[in-house]
Amino acid sequence: MAVTELRSGHCLLAAVAALMHVAVSTQAATLPEERADAMYHRYDGGGVTVDGPSLLVRKNFKETLSVSGNYYVDNISSASIDVIASGASKYTEERTEYSLAGDYLYGKSLFSAGVTYSDESDYQAATYSLGVSQDFFGDLTTLSFGYSLGQDEVSQNGNNEFEEDIDRHSFRIGLNQVITPKLVLAANYELITDEGYLNNPYRSYRFLSDPLDPSAGYQFSREVYPQTRTSDAASLQFRYRLPWQAAVGGQYRFFTDDWGIDAHTTQVSYTHVLYQHWTVDVLYRWYSQGQADFYQDLFLFPSQDEKDYRARDKEMSEFSNQTLSLYVSYERPLSWRYAYKAGITLQYDRISFDYDNFTDLTVAETLPGDEPLYAFDADVYKLLFTLWY
Amino acid sequence: MKRRISLLTALLLMTGCGIQPWVKPYERQHLAEPIMRFDRDPIAGAYTKHVYQSRESARGAEGGAGVGCGCN
């Protein structure tokens, strides 16, 4: 147990993220702009630090074909509450992700394909994605469809006998609609199904040693999860151009899955252009979710069989978070033969997590179940350099 | 009843085919501005989504990068 609680969960979610990230380019029947980005990212919160680079290069050919490549690294250093509470020591780890994607424009149709590969010492994930989008009604409406297949391999450091798989399918449909010369709307729906080993091989739930006597303490045992999960998510978002050099945006998303989790996400933003070259964004985001049916902070009994599910992952608990963000960008035209514009962007997000039924086990000398609720704040930084050519 | 439905469907199809763009090309300069995009910086946006997906159960339908404004 020298290593990780969060490790595989991190990778699993990274694989899901990759699955959806590839889909992003299937939204409008125009080729994406040619640009190169170099970004440093850093997350710091709850005893976890994740940082690293991300590089993206996109090149278009003959105004019909666009190819992009992305290299991304997470350097993880974790002494999270899961790690500390389980008695494990702080661990470090690296995850590397490579993506290659192509878009082909044919008339008012855009065909997209992409592949992403993510590699970590105990988790490998490959994602293959296809998409098509079509413009209608004088290019005021864009309808898009997408499908992704994810194939993950889960292993466990220090246990060569452990090897499991996950298959994941994602189906997406999106509609972008120009309403007025200053208002655009977008509606998206996504269905994701997973099948395979969905829990974290390092994480445990806890149960009372004696259900009639909490003072007897508690014990840990390996979590027991279902082998399948199906989720639905639907969102609606808009952007509105204000009379001055500014825009407001809003988004709402509803999420539900067959593990019993419902979630709501709401975001509002204001974007302002200053002195022609500067752009400032202020965002506020609120997220809230209910718990999974099989989540408990403290179980009375251990699991009786593989269908008697048990989870104590804080991402499965009932909680909410709030984010306040400030982004500042500076862009300037270039008279350079290789690029016509350059930009630098600094983004800062402050996220505050409040858990409603996940307790802090690092607090000593309390009866099981009487521990205080857990909460933490996280700081997220992104420093981005961009060239347009 | 069937006849009425058929007539109504035919009428809808005919008017649907005749839909004219109600936002003219010369009215779309605001829609083409970077500040009107849902996601101006692709890798920063993808990273932000990754931060949330790693710490929340909800996933999917985050919204895309493009806007079908017909600006090009």
Side-chain angles (χ1 to χ4, degrees):
Chain A
M1 202 75 183
V3 282
T4 141
E5 279 286 297
L6 270 185
R7 178 175 281 173
S8 275
H10 182 85
C11 306
L12 172 66
L13 292 158
V16 176
L19 188 128
M20 290 179 281
H21 173 48
V22 177
V24 163
S25 62
T26 62
Q27 290 289 320
T30 52
L31 283 184
E33 57 190 0
E34 288 186 294
R35 58 189 283 175
D37 293 277
M39 182 179 76
Y40 169 77
H41 58 86
R42 181 180 177 84
Y43 169 93
D44 191 350
V48 179
T49 304
V50 185
D51 72 346
S54 179
L55 304 170
L56 174 75
V57 177
R58 179 176 286 281
K59 178 68 183 164
N60 295 351
F61 301 92
K62 293 189 176 178
E63 298 183 354
T64 56
L65 181 66
S66 179
V67 178
S68 68
N70 183 211
Y71 169 74
Y72 176 92
V73 176
D74 274 337
N75 292 304
I76 305 153
S77 170
S78 179
S80 70
I81 186 168
D82 294 326
V83 174
I84 302 300
S86 68
S89 54
K90 180 179 179 176
Y91 73 91
T92 58
E93 173 125 78
E94 181 177 302
R95 183 177 75 85
T96 308
E97 185 181 292
Y98 306 90
S99 299
L100 189 64
D103 300 284
Y104 177 68
L105 185 63
Y106 183 79
K108 293 185 181 299
S109 303
L110 186 71
F111 301 92
S112 305
V115 58
T116 297
Y117 181 70
S118 171
D119 183 44
E120 199 163 352
S121 65
D122 53 4
Y123 207 102
Q124 281 77 44
T127 305
Y128 312 93
S129 187
L130 292 172
V132 60
S133 64
Q134 172 78 36
D135 282 354
F136 298 95
F137 305 134
D139 302 341
L140 297 181
T141 305
T142 304
L143 187 62
S144 59
F145 299 94
Y147 167 74
S148 297
L149 168 67
Q151 294 181 312
D152 303 356
E153 293 176 14
V154 189
S155 54
Q156 187 179 25
N157 289 320
N159 180 5
N160 293 332
E161 305 291 312
F162 183 89
E163 192 170 315
E164 298 283 350
D165 296 322
I166 301 173
D167 285 335
R168 185 175 300 106
H169 303 271
S170 162
F171 304 89
R172 299 174 298 278
I173 182 168
L175 178 72
N176 282 23
Q177 182 65 58
V178 173
I179 305 294
T180 73
K182 293 183 176 180
L183 177 65
V184 287
L185 287 183
N188 287 283
Y189 167 78
E190 186 162 0
L191 166 75
I192 302 176
T193 66
D194 306 273
E195 185 172 4
Y197 188 84
L198 301 179
N199 54 314
N200 182 327
Y202 303 101
R203 183 176 281 121
S204 300
Y205 69 94
R206 64 173 183 151
F207 60 93
L208 286 174
S209 301
D210 179 351
L212 299 175
D213 180 16
S215 64
Y218 57 83
Q219 303 172 47
F220 284 107
S221 185
R222 174 85 59 90
E223 285 185 325
V224 185
Y225 272 40
Q227 291 277 310
T228 60
R229 183 187 186 197
T230 301
S231 68
D232 300 274
S235 70
L236 192 62
Q237 60 187 142
F238 78 91
R239 279 195 82 73
Y240 180 72
R241 172 63 154 76
L242 294 167
W244 57 94
Q245 282 262 299
V248 290
Q251 181 175 15
Y252 170 74
R253 177 182 65 169
F254 175 69
F255 169 90
T256 186
D257 70 9
D258 60 358
W259 287 3
I261 299 172
D262 288 345
H264 305 272
T265 311
T266 308
Q267 179 170 296
V268 289
S269 64
Y270 175 76
T271 306
H272 194 105
V273 178
L274 281 172
Y275 309 114
Q276 188 179 356
H277 298 300
W278 293 87
T279 305
V280 177
D281 294 89
V282 181
L283 299 89
Y284 172 74
R285 180 184 187 272
W286 178 77
Y287 173 84
S288 169
Q289 74 168 56
Q291 69 165 67
D293 293 334
F294 51 92
Y295 170 88
Q296 280 188 42
D297 184 57
L298 176 63
F299 288 88
L300 287 178
F301 305 100
S303 172
Q304 303 300 304
D305 56 51
E306 74 272 11
K307 299 286 185 190
D308 189 15
Y309 306 126
R310 295 280 192 272
R312 196 185 171 270
D313 179 353
K314 62 181 181 299
E315 277 80 51
M316 295 287 148
S317 73
E318 181 179 328
F319 73 93
S320 62
N321 65 51
Q322 298 184 74
T323 307
L324 195 57
S325 306
L326 180 65
Y327 301 168
V328 180
S329 300
Y330 177 76
E331 289 177 8
R332 197 163 185 98
L334 290 178
S335 52
W336 189 30
R337 64 182 286 200
Y338 299 108
Y340 67 86
K341 191 170 68 170
I344 180 170
T345 300
L346 178 63
Q347 300 189 353
Y348 171 69
D349 307 289
R350 173 80 169 182
I351 315 174
S352 299
F353 293 84
D354 283 300
Y355 295 88
D356 296 329
N357 57 0
F358 178 83
T359 57
D360 184 352
L361 302 189
T362 61
V363 178
E365 306 300 326
T366 52
L367 272 180
D370 286 347
E371 297 92 350
L373 293 173
Y374 185 58
F376 75 99
D377 295 331
D379 297 303
V380 183
Y381 305 90
K382 289 152 276 180
L383 180 61
L384 183 71
F385 298 93
T386 306
L387 274 180
W388 286 266
Y389 44 83
Chain B
M1 186 65 185
K2 276 185 179 175
R3 201 172 158 187
R4 282 184 187 173
I5 292 172
S6 303
L7 276 172
L8 192 62
T9 308
L11 192 66
L12 278 172
L13 284 173
M14 284 165 67
T15 52
C17 292
I19 288 178
Q20 295 297 314
W22 56 92
V23 179
K24 306 297 180 196
Y26 55 83
E27 295 177 311
R28 299 179 191 178
Q29 73 273 22
H30 290 318
L31 299 168
E33 293 172 352
I35 61 170
M36 286 299 284
R37 291 184 197 157
F38 287 116
D39 195 357
R40 286 206 308 276
D41 296 306
I43 58 172
Y47 172 72
T48 305
K49 288 170 189 168
H50 169 59
V51 166
Y52 290 122
Q53 283 158 13
S54 302
R55 292 157 186 90
E56 298 171 349
S57 279
R59 57 185 188 174
E62 276 91 354
V67 177
C69 71
C71 308
N72 291 347

